[in-house]
Every structure is written in C-alpha cells, then in structure tokens.
Amino acid sequence: MSLFFPDRLLGRVSEESILLNSYFASLSMGVKSPAAVILIQGDSGLGKTKLAESLRPHVVGDDGYFIKGKFDQLSYGSANRPYQGIASVFAEYCSAVEQRSHEDWIEVAEKLRREIDGDEGKILFEAIPSLRKIICGEPSSQKESDIESRPHFCEECQHLEEVKVDGVSENFSESGSNRLNYLIKRFVSVISSIGDPIVLLIDDIQWANKTDLDVLKAIFLGAQNPFLFIFTCRPVDPNHPFNKIIDEFEAKTEIQLQCLRGNSVRQLVAEILRMDDPEKCTSLANFISRVTSGNPLFVRQQIISLRDEGLLRFGSDGWVWDIEAIEEIDLRNVVNMLTDKMKRLPPLTQQTLKICSCIGSKVDLYIVGLIVRETYCVENSDTENHETLAKNAISIAVQEGLVLVAHNSNALTFAHDSVHEAAYCLLEPEKRASYHLKLGKLLYKTMCPNLFQKHQFTIAAQLARGIELVTDDDRILIAEIFFRAGEKSMKASAFLEAHFFFAKGVQLLRKDDWTKHYRLCCDIWMKAADTAYLTSDYQDMNKCLSIIFEHSKGYIADFLDASIIQVRSLSSRDDPTALDVGIEALRVAGEKFPSRNFALHSLVGLARIRCTMKGKGAEKLLQLPPLADKELISLLRLLHMCVNLSVLWNQNLLPLLCFRFVRLNLTHGMSEAMPSAVAVYGAILNRCGYPLSEAEKYGEIALDLEAAINGNCSSQVTFLTFGSTFTKMKKLSDCLKPLRAGFDSGVKDGDITNAMSCAAVAGWVSFYSGQRLSKVATLLAQLRGSMLSFGMILAIRGNRNYINAVEYCRSNSGAPRFSVPIDPDPDDNIGCKKRNIILNEQAKFLQLFVACIFCDYELAWSTSEKLYQFQRIFAGTIWPYICQFYRGMAALSFFPISKCRKAIGTANLCLKELKKGRRQSKINLSHHACLLEAELAVLKKNYKSAEKCYLLAIEHAALAGVTHEHAYACERLGTYHLSRKNYDAAYRQIREARRLYMTWGSRPKCEMLKKKFPDLDNKELFSVIAI
C-alpha cells in the first residue's frame, strides 16, 4: 500500500484564518487605498507556499486571479534571465486571462492597447516577453524584430557572425529603468482597474535582487484594489534590500510560521500512513517529531526514507515498524535523504535531474531534451521531439514526486527547493564548474539559431558558472556571448544582470586582445563601466574607464564615450569637478573654451550666433541632415551634458557652451538635443536684455523642433520654455497645462530630473496664478505622490512648503509653518548646498506672499529683507517681478508702523523694477505695478491718481484671472475709501474682496474680513460702525 500525503494543512488553523480575513478585508478597501500585503515568514519546509495557495479556491470563486511567481536560489548573487521571478508572474496572468472567455481577453487587451502604445509595449515585452501577446496580439515566443549582426569577430571565428542579436541603442541611462518601472506601474494599474480581485503570490522573495525589488515596488504603486500581495520569505539578514521595501508598505500583515507541535505531527503521520487512530503511531510520531523538529517537509521525507530503507513496512495489519531499530539509525538532513533517493533512480533519470538542477528551479523541456539527445544514447530518440524526449527521461522522477510537469506545459519544476538542492548535490562540488561549462557549450553549438535569443541567458549563465575553466580556444567566442547577454539585459533595463555579464566578458579578455579584437574589447569594457556606474559600483567603473583611456588613444569617439560615463557619474554625486572633466575631454577632442574674460567672449559669441541664426525658423532647421558621424554624436552628447552642468556649477560658461552646441548642429547636422539648446539660447537672449519677442521666437522654434524630432515635447524643453521665458510672455495660468504635460512626458520617458523641475514650477504657477485652492491642493498632492515614488527629496521639500501654504490659506490652523530647509551640514556636497539655497529663497518668498495676503506686514517686511539671492537665482522669469511687488507692498504697509524711511526707498525701487517687468509681461504684471503705484500715490496724498491706479489694478487683475490678487486689490481700494470716508464705495469693494477670496477658497481670509468688518452684510450698519 502506498503512502498518502494529504493536501490539507495541519496545525495552521489560526494562520489560515488570518490569511482569509486579510483577503476579505482587501475586497472592501477603497480603490485609492494602498494594496494590502501579507508576509509569510519561516524556515524552508514549513509550508509557506502551501498556506498561501490555500487562498486560491476563494479567489477563483470570486472570479478573481490568483497568480504566482517564484525567485530562484541558483541565480541569486549571479545572473540569469532579467526579471525571471517577475516575468513568471505576468506569464501566469496572461495564461489565466487567455483561459477565460474571449470577451474577457478582448476587454483586457483593448484596455491595455488604449493605455500603452507600440513603443511603450516594446519596452515592456523586451523586459518581460510573456506580455507580448496580450499587448500586441502576438505569441510571446515570436522572434524579436529588431536584429542585426555584430561585426566583432575576425576571420578565425567567422561562424559566430551568423548568429543575430538584438540591436541595442548606444545610449543607456537611469531613464531606461525609470521608464520601465513607470510602464509596469501603468500596466498593473490598467489590469487592476477592471475590478476582478487579484492576488499576487511571490514565492522565496529572499532571492530577489535590487532590480527585481524596484520592479516589485512599481507593481505595488500601480495596484488598485481589490489587490492583495502575498510574499513568502525565509529568515533574512536585517540589511537585505527586501526589508527596506516591506517597511514602506502600509497595510501589512505578518504571519510567522513555526514548526508543528506534537499533536499535529502525530496527526500528519497518521494520515500519511492512513491510520484512523493517531494514538497507534505515537512512538513513531514522537521519534519523527524529535528528529525533524516538527518541520512538515522533513516529516514527509523522513517517513519516505524509513520506508525506502525497510524500517517502515506495510503488512497484513497495516504499516508496521521497529522503533528500537529506527532509533539506532544515523540521522541525516532532508537534502541528504533526497540525494540518496535520487541515487537509486535509473542513470538516465539521475543525469536528467543533474541537468535540470544546473539550469534552475523551472526548466524548459526543449533545453532538457536537446541536452539529453546530444549527450546520452536513448532509444527511439530520433523519432521524438525534444520535449517528448525530456518528459520520458524525467518520467520516473515525476512518478516519485520529485519534479512536476503541468498539463500542456513545456516546462518542469522541482517539487520544492530542497529537491532542487538535493539534485544539485548529485554533482560533486569540484565537478560542478566543468559540468556547467559543458552544458553551456553544448547548448550554444547545437541550439537552433531561431531559438538562441530566447535561451541566450540560460546559455550565458551556464558558461558564467564554468568561466574558470574556459580555454584559449573558446575565450573570445564566450566573451561575445556574455556581451550579447549583457546588451539584452541593458535593453531590458536590468543593469545588475547586465553588469554581471559584462564583467564576465572582461574577465576573459587579455591585454593583447586590444590589438587583435579592439572593437570587442572596447565595447565590453565600455558597457562594463556604464553598468558599473548605473549600479553605483564606482570603484569598478573607474577601473574600467582607466583601461579604456589607456587603449583608446587615436579613437576619439571611444574616448568621448568613456568621458561621458565619467561625467555622468560625477554629476550624479553632485561633484563640481564633473564640468571640469567634461570641458577637458572636449579640449582633447578639439573644442576649446576660455578660462577667463567670460563676459567678453560671451558677447562676441552671442553676436556671431545671432547673425548665424538670423532668418532660421523651425522649417529651415529641420532641413538640416540628421547627424550621422559617431564622433560628432559623442561630442555633442558630452557638450550637451556640459551645458546642463554649467547651470549649477558655472553660469558664466553657459552661453559659450550653448552657442558652440548650436553652431556645431548648424554646421554638421541636427542632433536630438538641438531643441533644448535652442530653448537655452532663447533664455539667454532674454536674460541679456534682448527683445522678448526674439526670446519667444526661439522658444517656439524649440517646441516645433522637439515635436518634429521626437513626436512630443520633452520635459526639458517644456521646463526651459513654459517654466522660464514663457512665464513672462504668456498668461501665467496658460503655462500650467503645458508644465503638467511636461511632467507627464518626463515620467513616461524616464527623465525624472526634468519631470520634477516641471512639477515644481507647475506647483508655483498653480498657486500664484490664482487657481482655486482646492484645485491647487489636489495638484500638489498628486505631484508629491510622484516625487515620493522616485525618492526626490529636495523636490518633496519644496512641494511640502506649498502644501503647507495652501493648507494655511484654506484652514488657517495656527501661524504659518513652512519647512524652510536647514542649512546643510559642512559634510554635505556643494550641489546639495546650492539646491538648499534655492529652496530657502523660494520658501522665504512664499512666507512673504502669505504674510502680505493675511496683513502680517511686520513679518512680511522682515522676510523681504532676507531675500538676498532671489533676484539672481530666478532671473529671466516672472518670479523676481512678483517678488518685487510683495516686497513693495510689505514696505509701504510697514511704514506707518515703523516710520522707517528705508521702506519708502524700497517701495520706489520695487515699483521701478515692476514697470520694467510690465513692459515685458503686461498681462501678468500690470495689476501689480498699478496697485503698488496706487499705494505710493496714497502715501504722497495724490488721491486722484491713487484711485485711478486702484481701478486699473482691479481691471487688469480680473483680465489676468489672478483671483487672490484681484481680491487683494479690491481690499486695498476698500481700505483706501475707508480712510477717505467714502463708506459706500468701501462697502462695495470690501464685499467684493470677500466674494473673491471665497471664490479662491480662502475661508480664513474671509473670516478675517468679517472679524474686521462684522457688519459686511448690512450696508447701513457697516457705514455707522465705520464712522
């Protein structure tokens, strides 16, 4: 009689109850609430996965999706297919959708295609191939479309040139990873918005690396309820990156599994032996409980081992045993027991288990069959396909419950991690490397070329584990395989895996290879340096770059590419030497810049470039040929980086860099960065005092070029136009929509830095342009969520200042409290200090604004006196002029209290600057200038002129649509009429001010007016009390 292994859980009643209650609670959570998370922890063999799987019937019964993914121990700390565990999740989801009705499939597929366009879909299924079918309506196994031959091999290895690999862009950066995470977040948001419950089980999360965890975080952020995450995890080090991720999850439930107690072990043993009375097996159960510590997996395997060794036999009266004989046996762990069991299987089965254990926990039957066919003599192998041959070779292991082959599946999986580990133990440790190398070489030489791309990570991983034994004959061939695996990983934005493969390629190369195989050596070392930077391994990056600089003399394009990596690395750490390194690299390439007399050189350069650009609109610029020379492309990429760096580190050099960039494009052809250079050029014209119409013209040209070259407006060009120069040229509120679009574009493209710049300016514009405060609060909250998800600390701090200001204007819960950044520590880098100065100035301006609106003029005056660098930092935009208005109002309102003559001088200077600004931006600044002029006229007792200016200020504020400043002008005119004892006019203006403040959404300001004028609703009483 065979043993019986029950499917039901024993001794887990409370854990099952917690799991079920958490699932039902997730069904009732709001759509915008964070998804619920369950963490099941415990040692191997305790039944973590089985406990989680007990939820499947309930989810399926609710017409939901229960999908499972698993991470592999064998690939942890090394490399395999990028996102392997995450990919298995999405593959199961796609299969589950496909198994439903055709209408369900169409609903999901159509919704995805509406939300994710073709280029975005390609990025997704490049990383996760199983998504191809549901996004594009194509089978996920379809051959990739963009392929090209790589010309790395010389004559002695020409046969490799026949193998085709994916074409990969030359320019990889953090934006690829950001964009992938954004698209995965959107994908999950779409599939979860359909409304069916989704339970996502991630098994063995402890084997996930940082790349996987970043994607997992994106999945969590995109999930909409009802959505439940279940993670199973063995005990991990406190510094494991998963602990940082799990701490960020809010609705979290932890289940800690313990070993079974004595009664549960006795019941489990009784059920396995098919005994009705558990008491009959007490002696055996006590022994097993003692030697296994109550681990359910170990209990099962110990019973199987006792049966196989003849110590547990089935007789006429059922199962019998000699407990004294059992007590005398040598105890072994479960892995050793399983290994011994496998050694008793037929040789072909053992060999097949070895093959599977080397490849991973889930193995493609095609690969197994291919290796078996090429390695072992098997009957009828010529008439069977690879999958059938593999199933036959592994059939006995399937019968023994060691491996599982699902129906209609082309993959097999080990029944448990312990089984996988035991199968790997069939290989002697000292022979494992040679076995891996043998498998990798065999697969490469015999695999069908059409399937090479699908399995190239499997091949590369096998070769990597046997790299120490690679011979000179195979060195270059295998280095090429590592290069292709690394490129494909980079294309999927899996930089950790890419760096692993490139590092393995570097390990195989020698110094003399730079002479024989320069292109291969340079490309592998370059990509190794790039991925080292992208994974923050700066020591390895510097090592790679030093090798490249040593051997790339005479190859300017390669020298520039290496310099770009170096500059990007320094820039990411806010190192001011980044600009110096870039300028020196440009000098080596023949582009020299002065080290002094910047103003003179800038004036000469500006005169020349204005003459060159004269008459050149977007149409003429678009007629320029696209830049094709690799050296020039690299040169312009580095020059564009230096333009961006000079904004922070050396603004004196900015015009010269910008002019050179534009000139090189006009001379040699159009590059992708030309639109942003034209936008910077327009901003420079504005700052240098040239006609605003000329600056506006080049801003519009930049937008047209960007739309023609890239199809949409990038976040950088949007920030340089609508976030800078256009704030003076256009109605301030009209800049809000493009800035929001620029933010969305930056997040979509992975350009997070410029996206956050657009977000910051969008927050300022929404607040200062008089939008309803409730609308501003909603926008700021949305932007804050994105900033938090990308960890943009400084952007979050600035955003929080505005959130606090809006909350104060809406609720007035105490004195204004703005989190002005504390001065940086002496150990902070220079870049951090400079950005903190910008935030401090911004926060002071915000304090000045709120103090003026709420008539706290003493605070307003003291704050205005501390705005030391605001004018310089925000020069070229509208903000310094708005700041001058509030400084002037604070000075004039503070003068009657303090009698400080300095306040009058400040107000006159502010009015002078405002009139200059009004000539540039009449729609936005006219009401400011009129109102400040009216206040000065009152002080000079020029009442006729004052009243005229007040009315103009009200009229122009209404045209600009700036509600709060319209209200402020009415309030100031009402106060003026009161001082002149024109009570009817004062009543009308103050009532209008209250109405406008209410429209703006500032209830506290309305209450302030009501407290100051208690009878605003009664005209006669108002006049009597005023008198």
Side-chain angles (χ1 to χ4, degrees):
M1 188 176 183
S2 62
L3 299 171
F4 171 73
F5 297 100
D7 288 332
R8 71 188 186 94
L9 290 164
L10 295 173
R12 304 296 189 202
V13 176
S14 62
E15 290 87 349
E16 283 186 279
S17 177
I18 294 172
L19 188 68
L20 197 58
N21 289 338
S22 297
Y23 167 65
F24 289 136
S26 72
L27 296 179
S28 60
M29 293 176 69
V31 174
K32 294 186 178 180
S33 300
V37 175
I38 298 175
L39 176 61
I40 305 176
Q41 295 177 293
D43 292 323
S44 174
L46 291 181
K48 300 184 293 294
T49 307
K50 195 169 186 178
L51 173 62
E53 289 272 9
S54 68
L55 204 56
R56 185 185 291 271
H58 300 281
V59 179
V60 174
D62 290 333
D63 201 27
Y65 296 94
F66 188 97
I67 51 182
K68 175 185 175 184
K70 179 179 172 60
F71 288 101
D72 190 354
Q73 179 180 2
L74 196 61
S75 62
Y76 181 70
S78 59
N80 213 312
R81 175 176 290 278
Y83 314 113
Q84 191 167 14
I86 302 295
S88 63
V89 169
F90 288 112
E92 188 164 331
Y93 172 78
C94 293
S95 297
V97 175
E98 197 169 8
Q99 289 169 11
R100 293 196 173 192
S101 67
H102 182 67
E103 289 75 16
D104 286 346
W105 168 267
I106 292 297
E107 179 186 6
V108 176
E110 287 298 324
K111 198 164 186 179
L112 285 169
R113 289 167 199 161
R114 284 196 301 270
E115 296 292 328
I116 298 174
D117 62 35
D119 290 338
E120 293 171 338
K122 186 176 180 181
I123 293 171
L124 272 176
F125 56 67
E126 195 68 57
I128 305 170
S130 57
L131 295 179
R132 181 190 289 272
K133 185 172 184 180
I134 199 167
I135 292 176
C136 301
E138 303 172 0
S140 58
S141 60
Q142 180 173 326
K143 186 179 177 181
E144 309 269 312
S145 58
D146 292 336
I147 54 177
E148 67 179 7
S149 299
R150 295 203 62 88
H152 279 148
F153 287 95
C154 57
E155 295 179 0
E156 61 197 60
C157 47
Q158 285 179 350
H159 60 280
L160 279 184
E161 294 179 350
E162 298 175 359
V163 179
K164 295 182 182 293
V165 299
D166 292 316
V168 183
S169 169
E170 292 292 335
N171 185 15
F172 293 102
S173 68
E174 303 94 327
S175 63
S177 179
N178 291 332
R179 191 175 186 191
L180 175 64
N181 290 341
Y182 166 75
L183 290 174
I184 287 177
K185 180 180 173 182
R186 275 178 57 194
F187 177 88
V188 173
S189 178
V190 171
I191 65 173
S192 59
S193 67
I194 294 172
D196 296 327
I198 297 178
V199 174
L200 175 58
L201 167 60
I202 303 290
D203 207 8
D204 284 328
I205 192 70
Q206 74 276 358
W207 304 128
N209 61 28
K210 186 180 182 300
T211 304
D212 297 315
L213 293 174
D214 287 342
V215 174
L216 188 62
K217 185 176 180 182
I219 294 174
F220 177 80
L221 292 173
Q224 295 184 26
N225 290 313
F227 206 114
L228 175 65
F229 289 85
I230 304 177
F231 302 115
T232 70
C233 183
R234 298 183 192 178
V236 295
D237 186 271
N239 296 323
H240 193 287
F242 174 66
N243 286 332
K244 183 178 180 181
I245 295 291
I246 198 70
D247 288 342
E248 297 179 15
F249 298 154
E250 297 179 15
K252 178 178 62 178
T253 302
E254 295 189 32
I255 299 176
Q256 184 71 48
L257 287 188
Q258 305 294 339
C259 291
L260 298 178
R261 297 186 177 183
N263 290 337
S264 298
V265 172
R266 184 162 56 248
Q267 186 177 357
L268 177 58
V269 172
E271 291 199 16
I272 292 174
L273 300 180
R274 302 176 188 266
M275 290 185 172
D276 295 332
D277 185 4
E279 296 297 329
K280 292 181 180 179
C281 62
T282 298
S283 61
L284 179 62
N286 288 342
F287 167 79
I288 291 176
S289 179
R290 186 174 74 251
V291 300
T292 63
S293 300
N295 185 299
L297 175 66
F298 296 175
V299 169
R300 290 176 171 85
Q301 294 303 325
Q302 190 67 56
I303 291 175
I304 293 172
S305 178
L306 291 175
R307 181 202 62 183
D308 292 346
E309 294 181 16
L311 296 172
L312 181 63
R313 304 180 304 278
F314 186 76
S316 56
D317 295 330
W319 290 97
V320 295
W321 58 88
D322 183 349
I323 193 63
E324 293 181 359
I326 290 174
E327 292 278 3
E328 294 177 0
I329 64 172
D330 293 331
L331 300 179
R332 292 163 296 164
N333 63 38
V334 68
V335 172
N336 290 338
M337 287 190 292
L338 288 168
T339 302
D340 288 345
K341 177 179 180 177
M342 292 175 184
K343 288 178 179 179
R344 293 192 289 271
L345 298 175
L348 179 60
T349 305
Q350 290 187 48
Q351 295 301 327
T352 308
L353 285 171
K354 289 180 185 179
I355 294 168
C356 295
S357 71
C358 287
I359 295 173
S361 59
K362 186 174 183 179
V363 189
D364 192 300
L365 288 170
Y366 170 83
I367 288 180
V368 177
L370 176 63
I371 297 173
V372 169
R373 187 186 302 278
E374 296 294 329
T375 310
Y376 307 104
C377 296
V378 183
E379 288 188 38
N380 303 321
S381 63
D382 293 338
T383 61
E384 297 174 338
N385 62 31
H386 293 316
E387 289 80 0
T388 303
L389 182 61
K391 288 180 181 179
N392 292 337
I394 204 72
S395 59
I396 296 176
V398 174
Q399 294 170 15
E400 292 292 330
L402 298 173
V403 295
L404 308 172
V405 180
H407 182 62
N408 293 329
S409 172
N410 287 326
L412 63 85
T413 57
F414 284 98
H416 192 270
D417 287 345
S418 298
V419 180
H420 185 186
E421 186 179 350
Y424 198 57
C425 287
L426 291 171
L427 286 166
E428 298 175 17
E430 62 274 11
K431 295 182 179 179
R432 289 174 183 171
S434 63
Y435 198 82
H436 281 295
L437 182 61
K438 175 184 174 183
L439 292 181
K441 291 172 66 175
L442 189 150
L443 286 171
Y444 174 74
K445 292 177 180 178
T446 60
M447 184 169 289
C448 169
N450 290 336
L451 292 173
F452 178 83
Q453 291 179 59
K454 178 180 178 182
H455 299 292
Q456 74 179 85
F457 290 115
T458 300
I459 297 169
Q462 297 305 308
L463 295 171
R465 292 177 184 121
I467 193 170
E468 300 294 339
L469 303 176
V470 173
T471 62
D472 279 347
D473 294 338
D474 298 323
R475 227 172 16 87
I476 300 300
L477 308 179
I478 294 175
E480 170 72 6
I481 293 173
F482 288 144
F483 178 81
R484 279 178 273 172
E487 275 198 318
K488 195 169 180 68
S489 297
M490 284 194 79
K491 198 171 184 180
S493 301
F495 300 126
L496 279 172
E497 288 82 354
H499 183 57
F500 173 87
F501 287 123
F502 290 133
K504 290 298 180 185
V506 162
Q507 188 177 337
L508 290 175
L509 298 177
R510 296 176 181 171
K511 192 170 184 178
D512 59 352
D513 291 328
W514 281 91
T515 303
K516 298 178 181 178
H517 310 285
Y518 174 82
R519 188 73 267 143
L520 173 64
C521 290
C522 186
D523 283 357
I524 290 184
W525 281 99
M526 193 77 72
K527 293 298 175 66
D530 200 6
T531 50
Y533 152 65
L534 291 168
T535 54
S536 302
D537 188 350
Y538 300 117
Q539 184 176 355
D540 191 48
M541 179 203 71
N542 289 329
K543 174 186 172 184
C544 294
L545 290 178
S546 65
I547 297 293
I548 296 169
F549 288 136
E550 179 184 349
H551 292 93
S552 64
K553 295 173 182 176
Y555 297 89
I556 294 298
D558 295 328
F559 168 79
L560 289 170
D561 286 342
S563 299
I564 287 169
I565 296 171
Q566 187 176 22
V567 171
R568 280 166 53 202
S569 167
L570 294 169
S571 174
S572 69
R573 290 173 280 169
D574 279 330
D575 191 328
T577 61
L579 181 59
D580 298 332
V581 171
I583 296 297
E584 175 60 22
L586 290 171
R587 186 194 65 77
V588 172
E591 297 294 330
K592 299 178 181 179
F593 295 90
S595 58
R596 60 181 185 273
N597 297 330
F598 293 111
L600 177 61
H601 287 288
S602 295
L603 287 173
V604 173
L606 180 57
R608 288 176 177 171
I609 201 67
R610 284 189 77 214
C611 182
T612 306
M613 289 290 287
K614 188 175 181 180
K616 288 185 171 62
E619 290 184 5
K620 283 192 175 181
L621 291 175
L622 286 170
Q623 292 173 5
L624 292 170
L627 200 61
D629 184 88
K630 186 177 185 300
E631 184 177 319
L632 276 170
I633 291 172
S634 297
L635 178 68
L636 285 169
R637 282 178 59 201
L638 181 58
L639 184 55
H640 185 243
M641 291 175 66
C642 290
V643 170
N644 293 330
L645 288 170
S646 65
V647 174
L648 184 64
W649 300 116
N650 189 349
Q651 292 190 10
N652 292 326
L653 196 55
L654 173 61
L656 295 173
L657 292 167
C658 175
F659 302 156
R660 186 73 56 88
F661 189 94
V662 174
R663 182 176 61 78
L664 287 172
N665 275 269
L666 294 174
T667 304
H668 300 287
M670 181 77 72
S671 69
E672 291 184 357
M674 181 64 166
S676 63
V678 173
V680 173
Y681 173 60
I684 290 172
L685 290 174
N686 175 34
R687 292 192 68 167
C688 291
Y690 284 87
L692 201 60
S693 58
E694 190 173 352
E696 182 179 16
K697 168 190 167 184
Y698 287 109
E700 296 290 356
I701 289 174
L703 292 171
D704 292 341
L705 289 176
E706 184 71 16
I709 294 173
N710 299 318
N712 64 334
C713 195
S714 69
S715 56
Q716 185 176 35
V717 173
T718 300
F719 173 68
L720 290 170
T721 51
F722 287 99
S724 178
T725 313
F726 283 10
T727 55
K728 290 197 292 187
M729 306 168 190
K730 299 182 182 295
K731 192 175 178 181
L732 198 56
S733 57
D734 291 344
C735 294
L736 186 56
K737 187 176 179 180
L739 285 167
R740 184 62 196 268
F743 165 74
D744 292 335
S745 175
V747 171
K748 177 180 175 181
D749 295 338
D751 186 4
I752 303 305
T753 301
N754 283 303
M756 293 306 151
S757 297
C758 288
V761 181
W764 307 349
V765 169
S766 66
F767 186 62
Y768 293 118
S769 64
Q771 307 293 309
R772 285 188 65 88
L773 289 174
S774 57
K775 185 178 177 181
V776 178
T778 300
L779 174 63
L780 290 172
Q782 291 171 350
L783 296 176
R784 179 177 174 79
S786 296
M787 292 170 183
L788 285 169
S789 66
F790 290 109
M792 306 298 288
I793 303 301
L794 292 175
I796 292 168
R797 193 177 299 165
N799 175 270
R800 186 173 63 238
N801 290 340
Y802 279 93
I803 289 176
N804 289 345
V806 170
E807 187 62 27
Y808 179 81
C809 291
R810 294 178 73 191
S811 64
N812 198 8
S813 55
R817 290 184 298 110
F818 303 113
S819 55
V820 179
I822 299 172
D823 291 333
D825 293 331
D827 294 335
D828 283 347
N829 60 54
I830 300 173
C832 183
K833 291 178 180 178
K834 287 197 172 191
R835 292 186 178 91
N836 270 290
I837 290 171
I838 295 172
L839 286 179
N840 272 298
E841 293 299 300
Q842 171 201 329
K844 291 172 191 173
F845 174 42
L846 192 57
Q847 179 74 74
L848 169 63
F849 168 85
V850 174
C852 282
I853 293 293
F854 284 88
C855 305
D856 189 350
Y857 293 114
E858 185 175 355
L859 175 61
W861 172 248
S862 64
T863 303
S864 71
E865 289 291 281
K866 298 174 184 176
L867 283 162
Y868 307 118
Q869 302 185 61
F870 192 87
Q871 305 295 114
R872 179 185 61 81
I873 290 172
F874 296 100
T877 69
I878 199 171
W879 310 115
Y881 296 110
I882 297 178
C883 181
Q884 292 286 15
F885 166 70
Y886 285 105
R887 284 190 70 209
M889 292 300 297
L892 290 175
S893 301
F894 183 63
F895 175 73
I897 304 171
S898 64
K899 303 300 180 183
C900 175
R901 300 301 302 177
K902 181 182 177 182
I904 302 299
T906 298
N908 279 304
L909 286 173
C910 289
L911 180 59
K912 183 179 179 180
E913 290 298 316
L914 263 176
K915 286 182 176 180
K916 289 181 183 177
R918 181 169 58 183
R919 288 195 291 270
Q920 299 182 47
S921 183
K922 186 174 181 180
I923 185 66
N924 290 317
L925 296 174
S926 183
H927 64 281
H928 294 104
C930 290
L931 185 53
L932 190 55
E933 192 172 1
E935 294 287 324
L936 274 168
V938 171
L939 194 64
K940 296 174 183 178
K941 299 183 180 180
N942 189 352
Y943 301 120
K944 186 176 180 180
S945 175
E947 192 166 340
K948 179 181 177 182
C949 288
Y950 277 127
L951 292 173
L952 282 173
I954 291 171
E955 179 185 349
H956 292 160
L959 288 172
V962 188
T963 308
H964 62 280
E965 288 174 344
H966 185 183
Y968 190 53
C970 291
E971 180 186 357
R972 297 303 301 171
L973 178 55
T975 304
Y976 161 77
H977 281 309
L978 277 178
S979 68
R980 301 291 297 159
K981 300 182 180 180
N982 299 328
Y983 301 120
D984 288 348
Y987 176 77
R988 288 194 302 271
Q989 293 299 331
I990 292 175
R991 274 183 62 85
E992 179 65 4
R994 187 181 69 168
R995 185 189 69 79
L996 288 167
Y997 280 127
M998 186 61 74
T999 302
W1000 186 42
S1002 181
R1003 188 175 297 276
K1005 181 64 181 180
C1006 295
E1007 292 174 352
M1008 178 183 288
L1009 289 177
K1010 188 174 180 180
K1011 185 176 180 180
K1012 188 175 181 180
F1013 308 105
D1015 295 292
L1016 263 179
D1017 296 324
N1018 189 315
K1019 187 175 181 180
E1020 281 69 25
L1021 280 176
F1022 175 86
S1023 300
V1024 170
I1025 293 173
I1027 293 171

